[in-house]
Amino acid sequence: MKKHNLKICIATTVRVFVMLSLICCTNVAISTNNKNNLNPLILVPGNGGNQLEAKLTKQYKSSSLICDPWYPPFKKKNGWFRLWFDSSVLLAPFTKCFASRMTLYYDQQLDDYFNAPGVQTRVPRFGSTYSLLYLNPRLKLVTEYMATLVESLEQLGYIDGENLFGAPYDFRYGLAAPGHPSRVGSKFLDDLKNLIEEASNSNGGKPVILVSHSLGGLFVLELLNRNPSSWRKKFIKHFIALSAPWGGTVDIMFTFASGNTLGVPLVNPLIVRNEQRSSESNLWLMPNPKMFDAKKSLVTTPDRTYSAHDMVDFLKDIGFQEGVYPYETRILPLMAKIEAPEVNMTCIVGKGVKTPEELIYRNGDFDEPPEFSYGDGDGTVNMVSLLALEKLWKDEKNQYLKVIKIGGVSHTSILKDKVALEEIIGEISRINSHAQLGLSNLSLATWDEK
């Protein structure tokens, strides 16, 4: 019996050594001929994670003299100008102008969201990483978004427009449950699907690696689940989700209640609050009642507390009655159906950063900033949301899910932090290595904690 066990041990050791040798050899091959050995990769940004341009038509009605169509004075050909991010938002009169042009309007009769009358919007250079690098190329130091990540991918052998692509979108818009129109969000999914197919076809039919950040992960998951299994198997190699808020955030309740400057100095949060409330995607980021404990208080006032199951009352009590109907009919059913796409997935998240867990309005005045009670998360998204898929899909036999947790990394610093980038690039390299070895279905360790 001992000799038999010894033979098994030796045989296993030899197989493992051979596999490691093959992987090492493959890594060497990739380093010498990167471009040909890499699966095409598409970056999908998060909320506010790409540039946005606007154009004013004759239907536009200014809210003040400052907001007349002359502003901004410098425009591109055909009248297009930078809407996000424009540094003039720092000055109060221009902040109001910015907010009025960014505001969406929900038409209950048409059951969909629309721009303000006379305001057209577009994302620059869809398919390229250009508008994901910096929110404003003239302010690179303070508006960097994915520039460092893209530089790391370029060092791996990726080239923008050849095997590396970007999928920017109008992040104010979201998606809706089946049976409800979502014109802008649905078009983005169509555009992303076409980009995936084109990226694969232009790279010898290799399936695509999708890398999303934050809200982008929710869009990608919806895209995967809205397409047949045969399409996913043909075109998707792997889905890497960075800082994905699968179950929403408590932080977005602060945005709805009091307005959120997102760290931009000199801006009065009450000026941008209505614009932020109008965002369809922000409703989508409300705490999901499937993932947040019904007994857990997320907002406290002298009169009552609100859990994730009390969002309708919360929206009414903060004075946003018009958000109730789209939340109940379009968003809640969407939140309730988070299905496993049966595509290999890796979630990379930050942890150990104090994250708003409860908002306390001692005077009951939502116009005043609350006190915060903090818990674990990435500074924006709560841990229960970041790790929600582990719990939801624990019994899914056909879903491969790997989770990598990195201590001390925040929601946005994950895109530039040295340790985080090593994990992200390392994961992409492993995925490409397995593809070269024909090990696309190899089961890896499902937990890697830093």
Side-chain angles (χ1 to χ4, degrees), residues 349-353 377-379 406-411 413-415 417 419-420:
V349 305
K351 69 168 188 174
V353 181
D378 66 7
I406 309 172
V409 172
S410 72
H411 191 69
S413 70
I414 198 170
L415 299 173
D417 177 85
V419 174

Side-chain angles (χ1 to χ4, degrees), residues 13 19 35 39 96 104 150 158 161 271 297 310 364 418 443:
T13 302
M19 291 296 292
K35 179 183 171 183
N39 285 75
K96 293 179 181 179
L104 296 184
V150 169
Y158 280 100
I271 294 178
S297 172
D310 301 316
K418 182 179 179 181
S443 293

Side-chain angles (χ1 to χ4, degrees), residues 180-198:
H180 295 270
S182 188
R183 177 181 49 89
V184 176
S186 296
K187 183 175 186 307
F188 169 62
L189 291 192
D190 290 340
D191 292 341
L192 179 56
K193 180 181 180 181
N194 290 335
L195 180 61
I196 289 169
E197 294 175 357
E198 291 170 5

Side-chain angles (χ1 to χ4, degrees), residues 149 211 240 242 348 414 420-429:
L149 173 58
V211 179
I240 301 176
L242 311 176
I348 304 180
I414 198 170
L421 285 174
E422 288 176 354
E423 288 290 348
I424 296 166
I425 299 302
E427 187 69 4
I428 292 170
S429 297

